[in-house]
Amino acid sequence: PPGCGRLTHHEVAVICIFSAAQACDYPAMEAHLRRLLGIHPSTSLSDIVTSVADRIAGARYAIHAPKSVRQVPRGETPAFKLKGER
């Protein structure tokens, strides 16, 4: 609900999708889209997400996934690293 300090699972998924798109981590972006939608995302949807993420980045706004969800089953992907982390 508005004003709530906690993010829902779906809100976190959307942040992860755009974070991955901005980091050009397309496998992670598609994995999060698949998890959110329950189906394999179409190429056009992936292109739209990438375009929106690029426009957000063009406005000088970087989207970072919450630290608690940056770990993925096979390790850490570029999208889930905060700026300056190695």
Side-chain angles (χ1 to χ4, degrees):
C4 179
R6 297 179 62 141
L7 295 173
T8 68
H9 171 74
H10 293 108
E11 291 167 334
V12 171
V14 170
I15 292 169
C16 290
I17 289 165
F18 285 108
S19 174
Q22 282 188 347
C24 299
D25 187 354
Y26 303 114
M29 179 189 76
E30 290 183 0
H32 285 293
L33 279 168
R34 210 171 24 252
R35 188 170 187 208
L36 180 66
L37 302 173
I39 58 171
H40 186 73
S42 67
T43 302
S44 61
L45 178 60
S46 296
D47 290 345
I48 291 168
V49 169
T50 301
S51 176
V52 170
D54 287 345
R55 289 175 188 262
I56 293 169
R60 298 181 184 201
Y61 185 75
I63 299 174
H64 300 288
K67 187 175 182 176
S68 61
V69 297
R70 286 187 285 140
Q71 294 295 330
V72 294
R74 294 185 183 172
E76 199 172 82
T77 64
F80 302 116
K81 291 184 182 227
L82 293 176
K83 187 175 184 179
E85 278 187 1
R86 294 273 171 208

